[in-house]
Amino acid sequence: MTSDLLAPLDLAFWNIESARHPMHLGALGVFACNSPTAGAHAADLLAGRAAAVPGLRMRIRDVWLPDGRLRRALPAARLPLALGGAAREPAPDFDPLDHVRLQAPAADFHAAAGRLMERPLERGRPPWEAHVLPGESGTSFAVLFKFHHALADGLRALTLAAAVMDPMDMPAPRPRPQAPARGLLPDMRRLPGLLRGTLADVGRALDIGAAVAVSTLGTRSSSALISEPSGTRRTAGVAVDLDDVHRVRKSAGGTVNDVLIAVVAGALRRWLDERGDGSAGVEPRALIPVSNRRPRTAQPQGNRLSGYLIRLPVGDPDPLQRLRTVRTAMDRNKHAGPNRGAGAVALLADHVPALGHRLGGPLVSQAARLWFDILVTSVPLPSLGLKLGGNPLAEIYPLAPLARGQSLAVAISTYRGRVHYGFVADARAVPDLARLARAVPDEVETLLTACRV
């Protein structure tokens, strides 16, 4: 396995991290079992299988000058970006026992997961961990996977985690085309097109910058969503029936994702009112990530995210009007495309040299609270049932990174007929996160009643 430079957005995630502000994502999977030793057996299986997964052996190393291996992995035109960058490379001393840990039995998986999510991943080793949490009753155990966003986005993290689950009978993958060999100099015939692309990139960057500035005007959020970082974490999760979501969609229109986002808006309204903060007039800016993943033949490989920015209609008392507002905002974003507007600001990472990411990372980490108030992201999961040690995966709660200065992030996954909402919050700012999670099924019921289905 060869080394490769981090893509610009991966490098940005790597450099904005601090000890009190880790940038790893996670997933908490709950497995049904019938043995009190099933968790310990699962930990042994994960450690034994991790050594055979190449992606789990990759560490991230700082790069100040490109070496020969990096030259072969990266087109010549991108070599200057290596100055001040970082590269993924196989860890020569990889020991899976350093990454898979059996924890003490837990009565509350989410309480234990929150404490574990506080801890930054060790940067000198492959940046991932798996924590096995045996249940006190012996009828279930949980596994918390943590991946640094520079190693894997949600989809890639899913692939790596699935690789250590029990084998499944899957069709063989289709062979991917090999990237054509590149010379040391760019093809002169392509220069006019490259010039047009550069000018288009500049225009798009200006458009995104202007949209970001406009998005900060006339917005009322809630102090519950913005806070000074304490370095603490709390997680919560709840599942609802996918069939109920489809009933609302068929009656009220829109997409499944529109309904899921509107449920978040309604749950926030209930939560703010119940805790006494009040929801009147609150319209927090929600960032909805959109994957623009590059093909395997592109260099550098890695995360490439854009996003849609919408204002959640938390202050609207009408549940169907909240859904219509979300649907209209999402339709408008889709019409403009993921490369335009304030939500596409992550694409600006491509225009910053690697050294700029290194030097400007601390400053950029402070800007997220000016750009959006809450992250609401969807993580795709396979419909096939996953097992570990023969024990079926019953629940899976995705956990998104928490941006600096923000109190709450929401991730959503659909698995085997259930929609799982995973919440991550600053524990000091949101001590009542479980109350917000409980508001989700109540909001689904409210929508069903409003639709009379």
Side-chain angles (χ1 to χ4, degrees), residues 54-242:
L56 296 178
R57 301 176 62 91
M58 300 296 285
R59 69 175 182 179
I60 296 176
R61 177 174 63 88
D62 291 337
V63 175
W64 288 97
L65 289 173
D67 57 23
R69 288 180 300 166
L70 295 176
R71 285 192 179 94
R72 289 195 295 271
L74 196 70
R78 299 297 296 272
L79 282 176
L81 298 184
L83 181 62
R88 297 187 192 91
E89 66 175 13
D93 54 351
F94 174 71
D95 184 352
L97 294 179
D98 291 334
H99 299 266
V100 180
R101 296 161 189 172
L102 179 65
Q103 302 291 335
D108 185 336
F109 293 141
H110 277 289
R115 293 189 291 269
L116 293 169
M117 286 292 286
E118 292 179 6
R119 306 175 188 175
L121 295 165
E122 189 169 331
R123 292 170 73 90
R125 299 190 308 211
W128 69 275
E129 292 174 354
H131 297 271
V132 180
L133 307 168
E136 288 186 343
S137 66
T139 60
S140 65
F141 66 88
V143 179
L144 173 67
F145 286 100
K146 294 167 55 178
F147 294 93
H148 197 285
H149 213 298
L151 177 69
D153 61 5
L155 185 58
R156 175 64 175 160
L158 167 65
T159 302
L160 293 174
V164 291
M165 296 291 108
D166 291 354
M168 294 186 296
D169 293 330
M170 299 288 288
R174 296 180 180 179
R176 294 183 178 272
Q178 296 296 317
R182 297 175 181 251
L184 293 179
L185 295 176
D187 188 341
M188 299 299 291
R189 294 170 297 181
R190 298 180 58 203
L191 287 180
L194 292 174
L195 179 59
R196 287 194 299 272
T198 299
L199 293 175
D201 287 345
V202 171
R204 182 163 63 247
L206 293 174
D207 174 78
I208 293 170
V212 170
V214 171
S215 73
T216 64
L217 302 175
T219 300
R220 178 169 184 250
S221 185
S222 169
S223 59
L225 302 179
I226 302 295
S227 69
E228 291 302 319
S230 68
T232 60
R233 292 291 182 270
R234 188 180 301 274
T235 75
V238 68
V240 297
D241 285 336
L242 180 59

Side-chain angles (χ1 to χ4, degrees), residues 344-382:
V345 71
L347 296 180
L348 298 182
D350 288 347
H351 304 281
V352 179
L355 189 59
H357 283 293
R358 180 180 293 274
L359 299 178
L363 179 62
V364 171
S365 69
Q366 305 281 350
R369 65 191 303 173
L370 302 177
W371 171 29
F372 64 97
D373 302 306
I374 182 173
L375 177 73
V376 182
T377 182
S378 295
V379 182
L381 290 178

